[in-house]
Every structure is written in C-alpha cells, then in structure tokens.
C-alpha cells in the first residue's frame, strides 16, 4: 500500500462514530424528557390543599414514544459498534466507550420498561 493511501488520522468513518454516539445520547436525553411527561403527576401540598386532581396513571402514548426512543438508541449503538469493529485494524484503534455505555443504558432501560410498564 502506498504511503498516500494509509490512514494518518481518524477517517470519515471514525469521525462519524463520534456523531453517532452524540445522536444516541441525544435520544437518551429525549427519552428522559418523554419519561417525565409519561409518568403520573406528583401530588404536592399545594394540589392537596386546593383539591386539584392530577393524572395518576401513565400516559400510554408518551410511553410508546419512550419505547421507540429506547429502541432507536439501541440500534444506533449497535450500528456504531459494528462500524467501530470493522475499523479496528491498527493496534492504536480503540473501542468507543460511549457506544458501549449507550448500548448498556439502552438494554437496561428496555428491560426496566418491559419489566415494570
């Protein structure tokens, strides 16, 4: 292989892994927002004092969106890890820890979703 064809730094594929991880964590942040909207509302002293009725059940539509976001985060992490595995040819190439953490977070969150919802 000629010197001009060798990788001298992170190529487009490796740089895109950074963006994939960022997109995946963005989905996880969106999942937390949707979770907050889906859960039953918390009663405070103010609501009890004035007799304000709050929603005491999970919003099924928002919970469905939350599940979709969790699946999307799982798919993004798996795609990123597959791309990362295909580009690990040099001894200096590393696994993207963010993608592993995203995978673990997605799996645990989906397990908890199906276990408790």
């Amino acid at each position: 292989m000629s010197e001009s064809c060798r990788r001298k730094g992170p190529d487009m594929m490796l740089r895109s892994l950074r963006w994939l991880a960022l997109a995946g964590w963005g989905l996880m942040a969106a999942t937390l927002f949707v979770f907050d909207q889906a859960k039953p509302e918390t009663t405070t002293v103010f609501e009890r004092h004035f007799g304000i009725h709050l929603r005491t059940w999970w919003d099924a539509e928002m919970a469905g969106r939350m599940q979709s976001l969790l699946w999307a985060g799982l798919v993004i992490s798996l795609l990123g890890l597959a791309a990362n595995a295909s580009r690990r040819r040099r001894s200096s190439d590393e696994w993207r820890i963010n993608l592993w953490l995203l995978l673990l977070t997605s799996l645990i969150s989906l397990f908890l979703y199906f276990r408790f919802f």
Side-chain angles (χ1 to χ4, degrees):
M1 184 175 264
S2 71
E3 188 64 35
S4 64
C5 294
R6 291 181 180 248
R7 247 192 308 159
K8 294 182 177 142
D11 62 353
M12 185 63 146
M13 172 77 87
L14 290 176
R15 283 191 302 249
S16 68
L17 290 177
R18 192 173 304 148
W19 290 105
L20 264 177
L22 186 62
W25 285 110
L27 286 174
M28 284 298 136
T31 302
L32 287 175
F33 175 75
V34 172
F35 172 80
D36 185 56
Q37 298 299 310
K39 69 179 181 163
E41 296 171 330
T42 305
T43 304
T44 64
V45 173
F46 178 77
E47 283 85 12
R48 276 183 262 156
H49 182 306
F50 290 104
I52 299 172
H53 297 284
L54 299 175
R55 181 174 45 87
T56 58
W57 61 90
W58 284 85
D59 184 338
E61 180 182 342
M62 293 299 272
R65 290 180 188 172
M66 182 175 65
Q67 181 187 9
S68 298
L69 289 169
L70 290 172
W71 281 112
L74 180 69
V75 168
I76 284 177
S77 65
L78 289 173
L79 288 173
L81 286 170
N84 194 191
S86 72
R87 301 302 296 186
R88 289 195 30 137
R89 294 186 186 127
R90 298 186 298 193
S91 62
S92 62
D93 289 341
E94 300 174 349
W95 283 106
R96 301 286 177 165
I97 191 71
N98 277 326
L99 293 171
W100 284 106
L101 291 174
L102 181 62
L103 176 70
L104 184 63
T105 303
S106 298
L107 287 173
I108 291 172
S109 299
L110 281 167
F111 171 77
L112 292 173
Y113 177 86
F114 288 117
R115 173 81 167 90
F116 295 109
F117 188 70

